[in-house]
Amino acid sequence: MEHRIIGPGPYRATKLWNETIELFRAGMPQKRHRIHFKTYDKCFTATEAVDFLHELLQCNQNFGPDVTRNQTIQLLKKFLKNHVIEDVKGRYGKEIFEDNGYLYRFPPTSPLKPYPKRPPYRVEPIKFPQWTDEQPGVSQDYIPIKPVVMNSDAWYKRHSIAIGEVRACRLVHRRELSAANIEEIWKSRTLLHLQKIIGLDSVGDVIDTKQVNGKSIIHNVCTVNIQGIVVLEDKSKELPHWLLSAMKCLANWPNCSDSKQPMYFGFERDVFKTIADHHSYLQEPLLTFHLFDIFVNILGLLQKRLVAIEALQVCCLLLPPENRRKLQLLMRMMAKISHNKEMPLLCDTTGNRALMVQTFSRCILRSKDDVDLDELLSTKLVTFIMDNYQEILTVPLSLKNSVEEFVAHQRRVKIKYPGADMDTTFQPTFIQPQITPHEYEYQKANRLQDPLKALLEEIITSKQLSAKEKKKRLKQFQKSHPEIYKERLPTPESEAALFPEKLSLKSQLSFFTFKKPFQSFQRTRSFRM
């Protein structure tokens, strides 16, 4: 039985667990063993199981060659606890598994994990006002061009003569976006962006979107310091000062900023042990339990480095702000220690780089049930994040700009002309007195000249007007609004381009001209009788 690459999708961790069990059961050699003067058929020693499973995992592209022998032993402990294997006397349920000659066997049936049934959760977009909605403050009157104080008859007479009749339109004022509306926009747009990166039909299949907090996303994007690290408003959720000092000391070793710190042989090991002990007591990993599946799915994208980095950028925005800040500080310390050649070994048996991953992987990512391949998966993911932490733990500007533009668009006023298929978003210059004073002041403060530009463009592109009539209206428009006219038609050449020269009838008949004028008709002799 050959292994297959399990890409992103629902229940990826469960699929990896079941596939590993099936490959292990199908390929593990079983033979007769004798122990304590008794013979057992179809069994294997613990060392044989470790050897076979270790090689199996290293050759599997879902895990890779970085799997250690100790991780393989930890996985076999889980197999024993979940009755994937049992000792030759039929006992299981304990994690007492060591790399020795003790005998184990497979039970008659292998308990594969069932796939949980969870209805997908769809993100509902916010419903904004439609043109058919009856809204207070909607005006059916004509929109003036200039805020000139005059009655409606005089205004209409003046402008209908100058630039033609202004078409009637309808203004729709957006409902005010509340804080909850903006949070929901950030949440839905972020999840949609993540869904496109991973390539899933619905992101709700791999994450419980009800637990995603839009307020946390906004905080993680907007409330950061100059280094891009999240700034917490609630200081009670901050790391203890002594822990921050210890992490800063190792990150900047040996150039520690605090000269008052004691220095003795083995000092850096004691500081590291203090940091590791604090993180080992975390009740929930920094990447949280409810985001476990989505981060496991990103593991299937690690072969596409840039795609994986972009997906992790967005996923890390879903974290609570305090978790994101702790992850940023921890990853920065881990990366600096692993690349610091002057840092002495913090463990006699393991290099500093491997020690960082081995020590902090479980406090960064693990499953809630603790029966998955969480140690193998977290090791692989933490290694990737540590190597690319500066890119992963920064705010993706493309997402930030797109959401901010979307929010700004939803706050604008809309205008629609009767019979038009497309709506035009703008901020008008003036509204008739029928609207409220508040709306009038808003329009006056945000006046733009888009309606005038649209009117000029309509005159230019009109096919119903003759060339003579079009020139006349353009001349009238130029007198009334020279600035807008010059912006659209800055040179005589641009004006001339609107009226291509046509050959006149005289020029078309010019080729019929003769060199000599017509002579009067003279009767010849041939006509005489």
Side-chain angles (χ1 to χ4, degrees):
M1 182 178 180
E2 296 182 356
H3 75 273
R4 56 189 177 89
I5 298 178
I6 299 179
Y11 318 120
R12 185 174 187 269
T14 304
K15 292 177 182 177
L16 289 172
W17 171 269
N18 289 342
E19 187 201 50
T20 304
I21 293 175
E22 291 176 350
L23 292 174
F24 182 53
R25 284 177 60 91
M28 180 65 207
Q30 303 177 62
K31 55 186 179 181
R32 179 180 296 180
H33 287 82
R34 181 181 178 86
I35 187 173
H36 297 157
F37 305 103
K38 191 173 182 179
T39 303
Y40 297 93
D41 294 327
K42 294 184 178 181
C43 59
F44 47 85
T45 65
T47 300
E48 292 172 345
V50 174
D51 292 338
F52 176 81
L53 185 58
H54 186 212
E55 183 179 359
L56 175 68
L57 294 174
Q58 287 186 322
C59 296
N60 193 318
Q61 295 186 26
N62 294 307
F63 303 102
D66 295 332
V67 178
T68 63
R69 189 175 183 86
N70 182 63
Q71 292 173 337
T72 306
I73 295 174
Q74 297 300 322
L75 179 58
L76 284 167
K77 289 182 178 180
K78 293 187 178 183
F79 281 178
L80 180 60
K81 181 179 180 180
N82 292 276
H83 203 194
V84 177
I85 60 176
E86 61 184 15
D87 67 9
V88 290
K89 297 182 180 179
R91 294 174 296 188
Y92 67 94
K94 297 183 179 180
E95 295 185 357
I96 304 175
F97 184 93
E98 298 179 357
D99 190 357
N100 53 26
Y102 200 79
L103 297 180
Y104 294 90
R105 67 187 182 189
F106 292 116
T109 58
S110 178
L112 298 179
K113 288 179 61 177
Y115 298 107
K117 296 181 180 181
R118 185 179 64 197
Y121 177 80
R122 302 285 181 177
V123 179
E124 294 292 338
I126 298 177
K127 184 179 183 302
F128 289 96
Q130 303 296 325
W131 294 118
T132 56
D133 296 344
E134 291 296 331
Q135 293 284 344
V138 175
S139 174
Q140 297 289 351
D141 300 298
Y142 290 100
I143 302 178
I145 303 304
K146 288 185 176 180
V148 182
V149 180
M150 60 176 64
N151 57 43
S152 59
D153 293 337
W155 181 91
Y156 180 82
K157 181 179 180 180
R158 172 182 173 179
H159 286 270
S160 61
I161 294 173
I163 57 175
E165 183 178 345
V166 181
R167 301 168 60 190
C169 66
R170 184 186 182 197
L171 290 179
V172 173
H173 303 279
R174 298 284 193 180
R175 296 190 182 101
E176 289 294 332
L177 291 179
S178 63
N181 293 144
I182 297 177
E183 291 172 9
E184 186 64 27
I185 290 175
W186 274 95
K187 173 181 173 179
S188 59
R189 303 286 291 189
T190 302
L191 292 177
L192 180 62
H193 187 67
L194 179 61
Q195 176 179 314
K196 291 180 180 179
I197 297 173
I198 301 180
L200 297 176
D201 295 333
S202 173
V203 74
D205 294 335
V206 294
I207 184 176
D208 186 1
T209 54
K210 293 181 180 179
Q211 299 188 38
V212 177
N213 190 338
K215 187 176 182 179
S216 297
I217 298 176
I218 297 175
H219 189 102
N220 290 333
V221 171
C222 303
T223 311
V224 297
N225 59 18
I226 193 172
Q227 287 84 22
I229 298 177
V230 175
V231 178
L232 300 181
E233 296 177 355
D234 186 358
K235 299 303 180 181
S236 63
K237 298 181 179 179
E238 181 64 87
L239 290 173
H241 177 73
W242 60 267
L243 182 62
L244 287 172
S245 179
M247 295 173 67
K248 186 176 181 180
C249 173
L250 290 187
N252 299 321
W253 186 271
N255 301 318
C256 301
S257 59
D258 190 354
S259 59
K260 297 181 180 180
Q261 293 174 343
M263 294 294 178
Y264 55 87
F265 181 76
F267 169 75
E268 64 281 349
R269 292 194 178 191
D270 291 342
V271 174
F272 177 75
K273 186 177 183 301
T274 302
I275 299 172
D277 289 342
H278 173 82
H279 287 86
S280 65
Y281 289 110
L282 295 179
Q283 296 182 355
E284 186 177 23
L286 296 179
L287 299 185
T288 69
F289 288 132
H290 82 274
L291 293 177
F292 176 79
D293 287 337
I294 189 68
F295 279 106
V296 169
N297 273 272
I298 295 177
L299 284 171
L301 303 173
L302 294 188
Q303 294 179 347
K304 304 176 181 178
R305 178 179 174 272
L306 296 179
V307 178
I309 289 176
E310 188 177 4
L312 287 170
Q313 278 183 336
V314 180
C315 277
C316 289
L317 293 178
L318 307 181
L319 297 172
E322 58 271 19
N323 286 40
R324 180 176 171 87
R325 175 175 172 81
K326 293 175 183 177
L327 181 66
Q328 289 174 317
L329 296 175
L330 180 61
M331 280 297 173
R332 185 174 65 173
M333 183 201 73
M334 292 170 59
K336 287 189 174 183
I337 292 177
S338 63
H339 292 94
N340 190 354
K341 297 181 180 179
E342 297 185 24
M343 174 67 72
L345 287 178
L346 301 175
C347 180
D348 295 332
T349 59
T350 309
N352 287 342
R353 173 181 168 82
L355 181 64
M356 294 299 107
V357 178
Q358 178 182 334
T359 303
F360 298 108
S361 60
R362 281 186 57 79
C363 77
I364 295 175
L365 178 69
R366 70 175 184 271
S367 63
K368 188 174 184 178
D369 298 331
D370 202 25
V371 295
D372 286 304
L373 307 170
D374 51 359
E375 185 168 349
L376 297 175
L377 300 177
S378 62
T379 299
K380 191 173 183 179
L381 182 67
V382 170
T383 302
F384 184 81
I385 296 178
M386 185 177 68
D387 292 339
N388 304 277
Y389 84 98
Q390 289 183 329
E391 298 173 86
I392 292 173
L393 294 175
T394 56
V395 176
L397 294 180
S398 59
L399 174 63
K400 181 176 182 291
N401 294 335
S402 65
V403 177
E404 288 178 346
E405 290 175 2
F406 182 81
V407 172
H409 175 75
Q410 298 302 330
R411 285 173 166 166
R412 294 193 185 107
V413 179
K414 276 201 168 183
I415 180 173
K416 182 179 180 181
Y417 292 101
D421 296 332
M422 296 182 64
D423 301 329
T424 305
T425 303
F426 83 112
Q427 295 175 338
T429 59
F430 181 78
I431 305 293
Q432 291 285 6
Q434 285 82 353
I435 66 172
T436 63
H438 173 74
E439 291 172 326
Y440 169 76
E441 293 298 330
Y442 172 79
Q443 299 296 344
K444 185 177 179 181
N446 296 276
R447 64 171 59 100
L448 290 177
Q449 296 176 332
D450 287 353
L452 290 174
K453 294 179 181 179
L455 183 58
L456 176 59
E457 198 66 28
E458 183 180 350
I459 296 174
I460 293 173
T461 59
S462 176
K463 296 182 180 180
Q464 298 178 355
L465 297 175
S466 63
K468 183 178 180 181
E469 183 67 21
K470 184 179 293 188
K471 289 180 179 180
K472 180 181 178 181
R473 293 202 178 189
L474 287 175
K475 189 174 181 180
Q476 293 172 346
F477 191 98
Q478 184 180 15
K479 291 181 180 179
S480 302
H481 310 285
E483 297 177 356
I484 299 176
Y485 184 89
K486 188 175 182 180
E487 181 181 353
R488 176 63 176 85
L489 301 170
T491 62
E493 290 75 10
S494 59
E495 295 177 352
L498 301 178
F499 306 95
E501 295 184 0
K502 296 183 179 180
L503 293 176
S504 63
L505 181 61
K506 182 177 180 180
S507 61
Q508 292 177 0
L509 297 177
S510 61
F511 67 92
F512 288 109
T513 58
F514 296 90
K515 294 182 179 180
K516 294 181 179 181
F518 283 103
Q519 302 295 329
S520 59
F521 182 77
Q522 297 179 358
R523 183 176 295 180
T524 62
R525 291 184 179 182
S526 59
F527 288 98
R528 295 179 179 177
M529 299 298 297

